[in-house]
Amino acid sequence: MEHSEPNNEIKQPEAEEIIQESPENQEALETPESPETPEIPESPESPESQESSESPDSSVDPADEETIIEEKTRRKRERRSRVWFIAKYVLVNVCRAVLAFTFLFSAFTKANDPVGLVIKLRDYAGALGMTAIPDYLLYVPAILLTIIETVLGIYLFVGVKRRRRVAALATLFMMVMTAVTIWIAVKNPVSDCGCFGDAVILSNNQTLVKNIILLAMAVFITANHKMMFRLIHRDWNWIVTIPVVVGAVALFSYCTYMLPIVDFLPFAEGTDLRQTVKTGDALDMNYKVSIVYTNGTDTLLLAPEDDDPDSTVWKYVETRNELLEDRLDATTQFYVVDQDGDDITIDLLENEGYAFVVTVPDLKQTAVEISGYLNDLYEYCNRFGYQFYFIANAADEDTKHAWIRDTAAQYPICESDDRTIWQMVRDNPGLMLIDSGKIIKKWSRIGFPIIDYKKELQPDYIQQLILSKRYAAKPLRFDQ
């Protein structure tokens, strides 16, 4: 046991010498062992590295390079698709809003002035040779046209459940309207289409361009109807539709018997006729006046300065005004002649003080029952020195004599063009109060004011007449 320890001491150095002499171990001892370097994962390529990878000297695999190019192209297409979608979405709803506003505004102007709409429909019927259609039948297409435009306008505005069907109906409606405007632009049967009444007056060519644009919009939203967003829930359309349609019909009915609630006519209340009406040489330059006579078979046209024909052969028919320009304001055509044929337009306009003007666009259709009120009004004007004008269309002499005979009228019957008279007051008959050429107030036949026969027209009393309620259900009378 004592000799074991020295043996171990001898063996250890020998082992060390063996290790040192080994070539591999010697090399390992000469090169110190370094710690193992962790493997770094490949990071995504930056734009710079991608660009460098595309260079000819890049070591990127061609398959990977093709993949990168395809990814770039896909992203560009997605960006363009998003931009186009947003632009298309906005454009569809802008077109839808323009169409909705156009339909609703057009419907409002028709409901606001149904008499003017019927007059325009009468012009169309006359151009087609259907002159025998009575006016009361023309109210049927007038109310239907108003309802159709109202429904289309409100449906497009709120975005109803059946958007494709509504857009298709709007397209069909605009196709019909465009066909009509092509006809009037080529044939020129009427001076303007009457699309917006007297609120916005367009020439026939302007109307055609407008309808072509609206038709293109209607076709566009029909093709992209799913992009029209809804303003209300799809099941709540009736909440908006019913009140709007009922309101349009109510407005149409009210303005048929009363006057337009918004007066777009050139003879609106507050208009100073001295500033708007052209007289003298300026008036003569704008239209040509012809006096029409007939002998039963032939027609004779004479200028105002010509001598009257033989009354035993030729019978007076009407005084015709031919415009020398494409479109003029209605006040440009305003003229009044007395029962002797003398022009009294300037006398009416330059009159200082109050004047009552009774407008009768169709003397044959005027109810005789109103004659008592008119006779009392004439006496009232004579009592206080006011002017009284009874302006009727250029009716034949038999109609005038029949009116005077049946009504015992003492006032003279003046004449003017029936279209101008209709624009003065939208009723037959109508009543205007003028103060030194300025229109103070207008009344329909069922709203004639009850005037105190003993009171003068002082400012406070005139204000009372202006603010007085209409008397549709009360008899026409004067307070004696």
Side-chain angles (χ1 to χ4, degrees), residues 286-409:
N286 287 317
Y287 70 91
K288 177 182 178 182
V289 179
S290 300
I291 303 175
V292 183
Y293 295 89
T294 182
N295 60 3
T297 56
D298 298 327
T299 301
L300 178 64
L301 298 179
L302 296 178
E305 61 271 14
D306 295 335
D307 296 333
D308 295 337
D310 187 355
S311 59
T312 60
V313 178
W314 297 97
K315 184 178 180 181
Y316 172 80
V317 178
E318 62 177 350
T319 300
R320 185 178 300 171
N321 299 279
E322 179 184 358
L323 294 178
L324 301 180
E325 299 179 22
D326 290 339
R327 182 71 197 178
L328 296 171
D329 293 334
T331 49
T332 304
Q333 309 173 55
F334 180 66
Y335 74 98
V336 182
V337 297
D338 61 15
Q339 56 188 357
D340 297 326
D342 296 329
D343 191 345
I344 60 171
T345 307
I346 297 180
D347 296 336
L348 189 155
L349 298 178
E350 299 298 331
N351 175 66
E352 295 296 335
Y354 297 109
F356 282 97
V357 179
V358 179
T359 59
V360 184
D362 191 348
L363 191 59
K364 290 183 178 180
Q365 300 297 327
T366 304
V368 178
E369 291 76 13
I370 205 171
S371 61
Y373 181 92
L374 299 180
N375 291 337
D376 290 342
L377 181 60
Y378 177 66
E379 292 183 10
Y380 173 77
C381 291
N382 286 339
R383 169 178 289 191
F384 293 105
Y386 308 135
Q387 295 295 319
F388 180 90
Y389 295 95
F390 185 91
I391 304 177
N393 66 327
D396 56 80
E397 295 297 326
D398 293 340
T399 303
K400 294 180 186 178
H401 293 316
W403 175 262
I404 295 174
R405 181 188 68 247
D406 297 337
T407 64

Side-chain angles (χ1 to χ4, degrees), residues 160-447:
V160 295
K161 181 177 180 180
R162 295 175 176 84
R163 293 170 293 182
R164 180 179 182 181
R165 184 176 300 177
V166 172
L169 288 174
T171 302
L172 179 61
F173 181 81
M174 287 310 307
M175 289 175 64
V176 175
M177 292 296 103
T178 304
V180 173
T181 51
I182 291 175
W183 170 59
I184 65 174
V186 174
K187 298 295 184 180
N188 198 32
V190 294
S191 57
D192 67 89
C193 72
C195 302
F196 305 116
D198 285 88
V200 180
I201 298 176
L202 301 175
S203 67
N204 293 336
N205 291 332
Q206 290 172 336
T207 302
L208 178 59
V209 173
K210 181 259 298 179
N211 282 355
I212 291 175
I213 295 173
L214 293 178
L215 177 59
M217 290 182 177
V219 172
F220 180 65
I221 66 173
T222 302
N224 302 277
H225 62 278
K226 292 183 179 180
M227 289 187 172
M228 293 191 295
F229 64 87
R230 295 186 176 94
L231 295 180
I232 60 175
H233 192 271
R234 58 190 295 174
D235 296 330
W236 295 352
N237 298 325
W238 61 272
I239 295 178
V240 176
T241 304
I242 293 178
V244 172
V245 174
V246 171
V249 174
L251 178 64
F252 187 96
S253 303
Y254 175 85
C255 295
T256 298
Y257 294 99
M258 300 298 181
L259 300 180
I261 59 172
V262 181
D263 197 346
F264 297 109
L265 298 169
F267 296 91
E269 294 178 3
T271 301
D272 189 348
L273 297 178
R274 295 178 180 178
Q275 302 296 324
T276 59
V277 172
K278 296 181 181 180
T279 58
D281 295 337
L283 182 63
D284 294 337
M285 292 173 61
N286 287 317
Y287 70 91
K288 177 182 178 182
V289 179
S290 300
I291 303 175
V292 183
Y293 295 89
T294 182
N295 60 3
T297 56
D298 298 327
T299 301
L300 178 64
L301 298 179
L302 296 178
E305 61 271 14
D306 295 335
D307 296 333
D308 295 337
D310 187 355
S311 59
T312 60
V313 178
W314 297 97
K315 184 178 180 181
Y316 172 80
V317 178
E318 62 177 350
T319 300
R320 185 178 300 171
N321 299 279
E322 179 184 358
L323 294 178
L324 301 180
E325 299 179 22
D326 290 339
R327 182 71 197 178
L328 296 171
D329 293 334
T331 49
T332 304
Q333 309 173 55
F334 180 66
Y335 74 98
V336 182
V337 297
D338 61 15
Q339 56 188 357
D340 297 326
D342 296 329
D343 191 345
I344 60 171
T345 307
I346 297 180
D347 296 336
L348 189 155
L349 298 178
E350 299 298 331
N351 175 66
E352 295 296 335
Y354 297 109
F356 282 97
V357 179
V358 179
T359 59
V360 184
D362 191 348
L363 191 59
K364 290 183 178 180
Q365 300 297 327
T366 304
V368 178
E369 291 76 13
I370 205 171
S371 61
Y373 181 92
L374 299 180
N375 291 337
D376 290 342
L377 181 60
Y378 177 66
E379 292 183 10
Y380 173 77
C381 291
N382 286 339
R383 169 178 289 191
F384 293 105
Y386 308 135
Q387 295 295 319
F388 180 90
Y389 295 95
F390 185 91
I391 304 177
N393 66 327
D396 56 80
E397 295 297 326
D398 293 340
T399 303
K400 294 180 186 178
H401 293 316
W403 175 262
I404 295 174
R405 181 188 68 247
D406 297 337
T407 64
Q410 300 297 318
Y411 45 80
I413 298 178
C414 304
E415 295 181 10
S416 185
D417 179 70
D418 61 337
R419 188 173 297 274
T420 302
I421 300 175
W422 274 119
Q423 292 192 330
M424 294 173 70
V425 183
R426 285 290 204 228
D427 209 344
N428 183 40
L431 180 63
M432 300 173 63
L433 175 60
I434 298 178
D435 181 14
S436 301
K438 184 177 181 178
I439 300 174
I440 304 300
K441 181 64 177 175
K442 303 197 300 186
W443 295 274
S444 65
R445 68 183 185 279
I446 60 176

